[in-house]
Amino acid sequence: LRDAMQTMLTIAESQWGSLPIPDWFPTIPRWRQQQARKKITDLIDGIIADRKNDSQDYGDLLSMLLNARDEDGNPLSHEQIQDECLTLFIAGHETTAVTLTWALHLLSKNPDVLAKLQQEVDIVLEGKTPTLDDFGKLAYTEMVIKEALRLYPPAWSLGRVALEDLNLNGNLIQKDGIVFLNIYLMHRQAEYFPDPERFLPERFDKNTEPSYPRYAYLPFGAGRRICIGNQFAMLEAVMLLS
């Protein structure tokens, strides 16, 4: 699965900036990507099939998807459940790993922050494995993750489609045009994040007033298209780092 995931991500990254090729045109990278996707979907299908044969409600995401009903009382189709699981499986894999990698790198360069983090973890967990009940008590750990996301956002750019013509500081963006936002640079604006290159988790202390407006910090995007897994990702990252 690791190799399949790496194949899909590598090919997806290589398509940035390349000439668009019609979906029907066969290429070796596309074939490799399809084979990798099949390997992952086969695993997910197996998990779904096992759960369907088990009447127990585990209270987790898959149970919620299987028990969901639309306004007419119909369950989700297999393809819909598969797509939801696939999205979380792929989108929630590389991004969290990258976030933790940068967090560990930044901690290694800032021993004072590491010491403060270690103190919180020692007091809250007392050597035990973290559980959901510990999440709200790991406030500084969450600050560390948020600051790592500011300096090195895994989704360093995102696209949006213009719903209408827009004049932005003299630049005409036509309806249906695609606009890419540079999240990496937005997160380093000194106007909103003083001393922006400094690793300072205290910027995200919930007990203080934030120094930045709502749309200056976008590690998960914003608006109606905000990342569906943003709360899951924060929970996962804080637990793993602690």
Side-chain angles (χ1 to χ4, degrees), residues 1 38-54 62 66 78 81-82 85:
L1 283 175
K38 183 178 184 304
K39 190 171 186 177
I40 296 172
T41 53
D42 284 348
L43 168 80
I44 291 174
D45 285 348
I47 295 172
I48 294 172
D50 288 344
R51 186 62 66 85
K52 283 183 175 179
N53 292 327
D54 185 348
L62 185 52
L66 289 169
H78 175 77
I81 296 172
Q82 183 193 74
C85 292

Side-chain angles (χ1 to χ4, degrees), residues 114-234:
L114 176 59
K116 192 171 180 179
L117 172 66
Q118 188 67 64
Q119 182 182 32
E120 176 180 83
V121 170
D122 289 344
I123 292 173
V124 173
L125 301 183
E126 298 180 331
K128 69 180 188 299
T129 301
T131 67
L132 184 61
D133 293 334
D134 297 312
F135 179 74
K137 305 171 188 174
L138 295 164
Y140 193 72
T141 310
E142 185 176 355
M143 291 183 220
V144 168
I145 291 294
K146 287 183 174 179
E147 178 71 340
L149 285 169
R150 181 187 71 83
L151 285 168
Y152 299 106
W156 47 267
S157 177
L158 57 85
R160 290 292 185 267
V161 178
L163 299 180
E164 57 188 42
D165 289 348
L166 175 67
N167 190 312
L168 189 63
N169 294 334
N171 299 292
L172 177 62
I173 299 172
Q174 295 182 338
K175 180 182 177 181
D176 297 328
I178 298 177
V179 180
F180 284 95
L181 308 179
N182 192 328
I183 307 300
Y184 180 90
L185 287 181
M186 288 174 63
H187 284 184
R188 292 168 184 259
Q189 295 295 308
E191 178 182 359
Y192 304 126
F193 302 101
D195 197 3
E197 300 295 328
R198 184 181 173 194
F199 180 53
L200 188 63
E202 284 76 9
R203 299 180 202 273
F204 296 97
D205 188 342
K206 293 179 180 178
N207 296 318
T208 61
E209 197 69 29
S211 62
Y212 55 91
R214 180 179 178 185
Y215 294 111
Y217 180 67
L218 301 170
F220 299 105
R224 291 166 58 189
R225 297 292 181 180
I226 193 170
C227 173
I228 193 173
N230 59 339
Q231 294 178 331
F232 167 69
M234 283 303 302

Side-chain angles (χ1 to χ4, degrees), residues 53-66:
N53 292 327
D54 185 348
S55 58
Q56 183 175 347
D57 184 347
Y58 290 88
D60 58 14
L61 178 68
L62 185 52
S63 288
M64 291 167 64
L65 291 171
L66 289 169

